[in-house]
Amino acid sequence: MDWENFRSRGKDAADWAADYHATLRERPVRAQTKPGEIIAQLPASAPETPETIDAILHDLEHTIMPGMTHWQHPRFFAYFPANAAPVSVLAESYVTAIAAQCMLWQTSPAATELETRTCDWMRQAIGLPKGFSGVIQDSASTATLCAVLTMREKTLAWEGNKKGLSSQKPLRIYASAEVHTSIDRAIWISGIGEANLVRIPSRGPTRAMDVTALQHAIDADRAAGFLPAGIIACVGGTSAGASDDIAAVMDVAAAEGLYTHVDAAWAGAAMICPEFQSVWAGIERADSVVLNPHKWLGAQFDCTTHFLQDPASLVKTLAIHPEYLKTDGADGGIINYSEWSVPLGRRFRALKLWFLLRAHGLNGLRDMIRNHVSWAQGLAARLAETPGFEIVTAPMLSLFTFRYVPQGTQDSDALNQQLVNAINADGRIYLTQTRVDGDLVIRFQAGAWTCTAEDVDTAYDVITDIAPTLT
Ligand SMILES: *Cc1c(COP(=O)(O)O)cnc(C)c1O
């Protein structure tokens, strides 16, 4: 295929995309395939001779698409959304056509400067003060790894990268038991070790970490000769929306001189609505904050915004200057964003955020988020009134958990797992389960870009139609 063929095939792809999205409601949300069903239809080796684009597209339609779970389905209520607003998909088509490597300022000055500007738009939108600088990472997991590496290197006076950790006292990182597994991974990868991730119990309706217990853990660790290095707080935990009291955590961090990272990967998007910003009151004192515009906000995956009070510490942790990366602009006050992230190569991610923010305006995005929050609250209220159902964790923004425990239920975990399975086999909606205080519960989040109030009503109908049929 050459670029002249691309001209017409690209137009076909645009038509295909519009048709696909127009027919999403007719498709089961979750793929209804069995393990191995797709791979069995794929030749064991690559073709030796070229095949036609028509043959490839035929197989896309008949082999691949039936095995896809439709993340852009309006009734996708599982996990968290991975919204791709049409305008961000459009932006991505330009990005892939340009196909630039945006690792250094010089390798794409416009990409670097647009990244600086769009991150600053986001900073203002979510109410972070001027002192924060932003960078777009590939994922919240990477941003958290960057933060943990910075905690490690700052605490070891930048000796860890050089000498390794074997001659050091063990570092300690503190987080609640509700944080995402990307925190565990960052602790593993950074060489700090899972045993040194101190999990502070959480309590109360927000499932916030107990800051008295946090203080005690730090005191005990110092007395025992450990090196406290940082605290990771979360706002909108993945399981049930757990949110730490950021101001209280920052008080402890300030008194102890500890670096802080706040994981608001999902909930951070809602901070563009001033009325929700109270959930992270105190955020202006964090060292590092991550949120994913690629979740709720609609900037097609991948697009993680990572904000730092002092990017110099991160750069000191990650920057390497071999001869082949030196550029003559190096001391002209420019930013080489590859020094702010683990991979060297970088996609041009700022373009889709720029298209998105301009095409919808902050108000357009706020309307969507406010709708989702109010629809989720409405559904939680309806389920709470429905015999047999109980709300386990109240809505945190648009996420809540519930379970079905009709009178005489013997094994609630088994019944609720059966309910999730039956709902997902039905196909009209897609939900997932989690555990809250040991009990299996069902998660619901409203967040799909094209979700409507009627789609949330459908969720109520599906849940309450299917539940009584279980035995
Ligand atoms: C989704 C999520 C993550 C992981 O995000 P990635 O960008 O996929 O790495 C981390 N923390 C929370 C709270 C999340 O919701």
Side-chain angles (χ1 to χ4, degrees):
M1 182 159 173
D2 60 23
W3 285 103
E4 275 313 309
N5 297 129
F6 185 90
R7 200 180 285 286
S8 70
R9 294 297 187 170
K11 286 172 187 150
D12 293 348
D15 284 338
W16 184 94
D19 291 340
Y20 169 65
H21 283 265
T23 55
L24 270 176
R25 272 199 184 77
E26 298 152 27
R27 302 172 193 237
V29 193
R30 195 192 65 176
Q32 305 284 319
T33 45
K34 299 202 173 43
E37 215 174 296
I38 308 297
I39 199 168
Q41 300 173 60
L42 302 169
S45 310
E48 296 290 342
T49 52
E51 295 189 43
T52 64
I53 301 299
D54 286 321
I56 301 169
L57 289 174
H58 175 274
D59 292 347
L60 167 66
E61 208 61 72
H62 296 94
T63 310
I64 305 301
M65 289 312 291
M68 293 305 291
T69 290
H70 302 294
W71 280 75
Q72 305 308 317
H73 198 296
R75 294 192 296 268
F76 184 98
F77 301 119
Y79 305 102
F80 283 137
N83 285 337
V87 74
S88 82
V89 176
L90 183 68
E92 277 289 41
S93 7
Y94 289 101
V95 168
T96 54
I98 301 165
Q101 264 294 350
C102 308
M103 53 194 183
L104 307 172
W105 177 86
Q106 186 178 276
T107 65
S108 281
T112 299
E113 295 183 17
L114 187 66
E115 183 161 339
T116 305
R117 184 59 84 209
T118 50
C119 283
D120 201 60
W121 286 4
M122 281 298 297
R123 174 193 66 74
Q124 295 169 54
I126 59 176
L128 289 182
K130 262 204 165 88
F132 283 89
S133 308
V135 53
I136 304 182
Q137 307 277 14
D138 57 5
S139 62
S141 303
T142 293
T144 296
L145 175 59
C146 287
V148 169
L149 292 171
T150 306
M151 290 173 185
R152 185 189 81 186
E153 288 307 295
K154 262 188 91 127
T155 307
L156 299 179
W158 280 276
E159 291 285 291
N161 279 339
K162 292 196 203 96
K163 298 186 183 157
L165 303 187
S166 56
S167 60
Q168 307 287 353
K169 290 190 203 165
L171 294 160
R172 302 286 257 191
I173 308 265
Y174 307 85
S176 87
E178 306 267 343
V179 292
H180 189 266
T181 50
S182 56
I183 282 86
D184 303 57
R185 285 248 184 91
I187 302 290
W188 299 353
I189 298 167
S190 62
I192 293 173
E194 179 88 44
N196 295 309
L197 174 59
V198 183
R199 290 176 199 274
I200 308 298
S202 54
R203 349 180 272 194
T206 58
R207 312 184 70 76
M209 78 167 102
D210 176 343
V211 285
T212 310
L214 170 66
Q215 184 67 61
H216 286 159
I218 296 169
D219 293 344
D221 281 351
R222 288 209 196 277
F226 292 114
L227 280 178
I231 307 173
I232 299 174
C234 80
V235 176
T238 311
S239 175
S243 296
D244 292 323
D245 178 343
I246 300 299
V249 170
M250 294 306 151
D251 286 344
V252 175
E256 296 290 337
L258 296 180
Y259 192 90
T260 50
H261 173 65
V262 177
D263 178 5
W266 160 69
M271 300 304 114
I272 65 169
C273 303
E275 73 272 28
F276 298 137
Q277 289 176 2
S278 58
V279 306
W280 72 359
I283 193 71
E284 67 285 351
R285 292 149 71 198
D287 291 300
S288 164
V289 180
V290 64
L291 75 100
N292 281 344
H294 70 225
K295 278 185 168 156
W296 205 350
L297 219 51
Q300 156 148 4
F301 190 86
D302 50 355
C303 184
T304 290
T305 46
H306 184 196
F307 297 95
L308 300 145
Q309 295 261 17
D310 172 30
S313 310
L314 175 61
V315 170
K316 200 166 168 191
T317 301
L318 292 180
I320 300 186
H321 299 116
E323 193 56 37
Y324 55 79
L325 290 180
K326 286 193 183 142
T327 62
D328 48 14
D331 22 51
I334 48 105
I335 297 176
N336 291 323
Y337 277 120
S338 57
E339 297 178 352
W340 300 39
S341 45
V342 177
L344 172 66
R346 314 181 80 244
R347 303 181 65 245
F348 184 5
R349 299 192 191 92
L351 198 76
K352 61 194 162 195
L353 192 54
W354 189 53
F355 272 43
L356 176 78
L357 294 172
R358 293 183 64 187
H360 292 277
L362 289 169
N363 274 336
L365 300 172
R366 287 183 188 118
D367 286 347
M368 171 187 70
I369 284 174
R370 287 174 178 143
N371 279 337
H372 292 156
V373 170
S374 87
W375 297 336
Q377 286 170 347
L379 178 64
R382 280 183 83 187
L383 280 175
E385 299 279 294
T386 306
F389 286 91
E390 111 191 353
I391 303 303
V392 180
T393 57
M396 154 60 184
L397 300 169
S398 61
L399 168 69
F400 68 90
T401 63
F402 67 96
R403 48 181 199 161
Y404 179 54
V405 275
Q407 268 197 340
T409 301
Q410 307 269 319
D411 184 345
S412 155
D413 286 7
L415 181 65
N416 282 279
Q417 185 64 63
Q418 208 191 341
L419 178 55
V420 175
N421 296 348
I423 286 170
N424 294 335
D426 170 89
R428 282 174 290 170
I429 66 170
Y430 183 20
L431 296 175
T432 44
Q433 77 287 334
T434 189
R435 280 191 187 270
V436 172
D437 300 328
D439 294 329
L440 191 131
V441 300
I442 303 178
R443 283 173 88 260
F444 177 92
Q445 65 76 28
W449 182 260
T450 50
C451 177
T452 62
E454 291 71 41
D455 290 313
V456 177
D457 289 343
T458 302
Y460 178 85
D461 295 341
V462 172
I463 296 164
T464 55
D465 284 353
I466 292 179
T469 68
L470 304 176
T471 45

